[in-house]
Amino acid sequence: MRGVATRLFGPWVRGVDAQTLRADLIAGILGALLVLPQGFAFATLAGLPPEYGLYTAIVPCAVAALFGSSLHVASGPTNANSLALFATLAPLAVVGSPPYIQLALAVTVIVGIMQFLIGALRLGAIANFISPAALRGFMSGAAALIVLHSLTDLLGLTAPPTHGLLALFGHIGRHLGDIAPAALGIGVLTILASLAVRTWLPRWPYMLTGLIAATAAATALNRLVFRTPADHDWIAVVGTIPPIWLHFHAPDVSLQSIPDLVGISFALTIVALGQSISIAKAVAERSGQAIDANREFRGQGLSNIVGGFFSSYVSCGSLNRSMPNYEAGARTPLAAVFASLLLLVLIAASSSLLALIPMAAIAGLLVLISWTLLDWPNWLKLWRSSRTDFAIAAATFVATISIRIEMAILLGTILSLVTHLYRTSKPAMRIMGFDSKEPGRAFVVREHVPQPHDECPQLKMVRMEGEVYFGAVPWVDDQLRDLRTPRNSPKHLLVMAKSMNFIDLSAAEMWRNELRVRRKMGGDLYFHRPRAPVLQLWQKLGFIDELGLDHIFPAKRIAIDTIFGRLDRAICSHCTVRVFEECHALPKPVPPFVPEGTVARPEDAPAAPAASPAAEAATSLQDGAG
């Protein structure tokens, strides 16, 4: 039985035991309590009756957890999905009307189908393009948003009439005189009590304990001090919770409206998947879990398909629920399943007690969690290690708190890709040679040694590193042109290409042009160990036929031995460098002819006496240099 469950739900099933069940149950209780006010608020943003937010926190949450990839992501209604749904459906029907509700449910099913197909077709690789820097900025930006949107509840103020940070700040600024000290005190009490329990009673569920303590304090103040909700200092609570009864209901929409809904659903799919995979990767970064993006997309798709038939609107991974779920000690996806089941039980059995939970206490817990998410030490580490990645993270952070979340993720991803393209557009081209201080004179990068040996005047050796594609071709072509620009530059070029991982058509044409230019100037072009994909492309394009197989070598030593036989002996007869092992077999250098009355230049002076055989042997190339 467990083997069947493992294949169906994932390998985490094998690790379920009494300890994990206890941890998941505690985390599930907290998740059920936290979603109560959020579900009401998000459903209102979506233009739906409040109870639809709770529906969306029940069925989709359980299905996505069981069939997804993440151990800790809790799905449900989110701010971004709610606003996007409202924006796309408001022109089609009266907000909150029965036709509007049916359109929302139908769109949810279509979004689920699209999400499932993306996972089934194994297109989850798109998630790999969300860079760690963009993820860092998104996670911190989302944490900042949670704090900012919790301020009204923390300060005891009413919610702003419109959405957006400017509206939020303006609303708080206009109502500074209405701040309720008692509400702020309850929020602070929640934070301090939670921290105290985490420090001194680490085995206790610290957030749940803090919430209970704050609820008790708020209830006492409201009943013994303020006595009536009309009191200015009355501490706002969750309040009356409507009964929730799950029932199967197919969305009732006309077939004529389906094409319009498909277009709307595509946009919502991008919004939901962008949030889900970003949150899954953000939580996984803290937990160390590997995420299967395709399975995560399939799980999210199933949750929306099933949810659409149980009065749920578009759901996805929720940072407001996922991070508390992880911080509360959840061990498996059963924590999210428990949260869904407990939400039903709590509403049915103890709605009067749940109604007493102060909004300021929930806000305090969210502030506590968000402070952990901001992760200042990692920001400092990122600043020290890479200013470019820090800039990407900072830009994503600003975008997350100022524009729509999915657009912020897209912006961070685009910035990361552009940065990567810029970096790869200048692949390394390193001039190779020998270290004059090393008797064996193995191949080295000339710029890496303090006193490199002089270069051969006829052969330039270059190591090519990275990918040479259309974006890098102009830069590489300029470097090749610079290598042959001086009048007395070497006419032969040996490219050590084992680190040239990839080329495209434009790069292949560049090498063809380099070959023709080199041969026109009396030299030639050679390659050492080009990779198999590079050789295959050259073969298809006929470049190998033009180059010649005798210009491609398996080892540096063989390459130099072969090329040495093709060098101009007239130049060799006057050369005093004698850098190669093969040079020792040549006659002693002959001073160049100097017309009578002309002062010879220092570089034209006769070479030093030939070294002894023992000295020559000490300076010869090692056989393993290639």
Side-chain angles (χ1 to χ4, degrees), residues 156 178 180-182 221-222 224-236:
D178 298 331
L221 287 174
N222 280 341
L224 301 178
V225 179
F226 307 129
R227 298 184 181 278
T228 169
D231 193 307
H232 171 74
D233 290 326
W234 174 271
I235 301 170

Side-chain angles (χ1 to χ4, degrees), residues 200-496:
W200 291 304
L201 299 170
R203 297 177 62 87
W204 287 34
Y206 68 97
M207 285 191 287
L208 185 58
T209 306
L211 185 64
I212 293 174
T215 301
T219 302
L221 287 174
N222 280 341
R223 291 186 175 179
L224 301 178
V225 179
F226 307 129
R227 298 184 181 278
T228 169
D231 193 307
H232 171 74
D233 290 326
W234 174 271
I235 301 170
V237 296
V238 169
T240 304
I241 302 173
I244 301 296
W245 300 102
L246 293 179
H247 61 280
F248 181 88
H249 171 72
D252 185 12
V253 294
S254 63
L255 293 178
Q256 291 79 4
S257 64
I258 297 297
D260 292 333
L261 298 182
V262 169
I264 292 172
S265 300
F266 180 78
L268 290 173
T269 299
I270 300 301
V271 174
L273 285 185
Q275 290 182 87
S276 293
I277 197 62
S278 298
I279 291 168
K281 292 184 71 174
V283 179
E285 187 180 73
R286 299 181 66 85
S287 66
Q289 182 202 353
I291 295 296
D292 182 346
N294 292 309
R295 185 179 181 90
E296 190 68 25
F297 289 164
R298 293 196 299 270
Q300 292 292 330
L302 283 174
S303 72
N304 280 312
I305 292 173
V306 176
F309 290 97
F310 284 92
S311 302
S312 303
Y313 70 95
V314 179
S315 69
C316 71
S318 168
L319 194 67
N320 288 5
R321 300 184 67 192
S322 301
M323 287 312 301
N325 188 44
Y326 172 72
E327 293 290 340
R331 302 277 293 278
T332 75
L334 290 179
V337 177
F338 286 150
S340 299
L341 297 176
L342 288 170
L343 182 59
L344 280 173
V345 173
L346 289 173
I347 292 174
S350 56
S351 59
S352 58
L353 291 177
L354 296 178
L356 300 177
I357 296 176
M359 299 299 292
I362 294 176
L365 286 181
L366 293 177
V367 169
L368 178 61
I369 294 165
S370 300
W371 180 258
T372 304
L373 283 178
L374 288 172
D375 203 357
W376 299 112
N378 267 323
W379 276 96
L380 183 59
K381 181 179 177 181
L382 192 62
W383 170 262
R384 291 172 176 171
S385 59
S386 173
R387 299 297 170 86
T388 300
D389 286 343
F390 181 88
I392 293 172
T396 309
F397 173 85
V398 173
T400 302
I401 64 175
S402 58
I403 60 177
R404 285 163 43 189
I405 288 180
E406 72 279 3
M407 296 304 296
I409 297 169
L410 180 61
L411 174 64
T413 302
I414 290 175
L415 287 176
S416 299
L417 292 176
V418 169
T419 301
H420 172 73
L421 289 175
Y422 177 77
R423 288 170 176 167
T424 58
S425 68
K426 296 183 178 181
M429 294 182 64
R430 308 189 189 279
I431 308 300
M432 303 297 292
F434 308 99
D435 187 352
S436 62
K437 297 297 184 181
E438 289 293 332
R441 291 195 293 180
F443 284 93
V444 296
V445 178
R446 286 176 55 83
E447 65 183 21
H448 290 172
V449 294
Q451 295 182 3
H453 203 289
D454 293 338
E455 291 185 273
C456 172
Q458 297 192 69
L459 175 62
K460 176 76 73 172
M461 298 182 295
V462 175
R463 187 170 74 191
M464 191 81 235
E465 300 175 2
E467 292 76 27
V468 186
Y469 64 102
F470 64 92
V473 163
W475 188 87
V476 175
D477 196 38
D478 288 343
Q479 304 308 303
L480 293 173
R481 187 181 301 110
D482 291 342
L483 293 179
R484 62 176 185 265
T485 296
R487 183 177 59 83
N488 60 345
S489 62
K491 297 179 181 179
H492 296 268
L493 176 65
L494 171 60
V495 180
M496 299 172 184

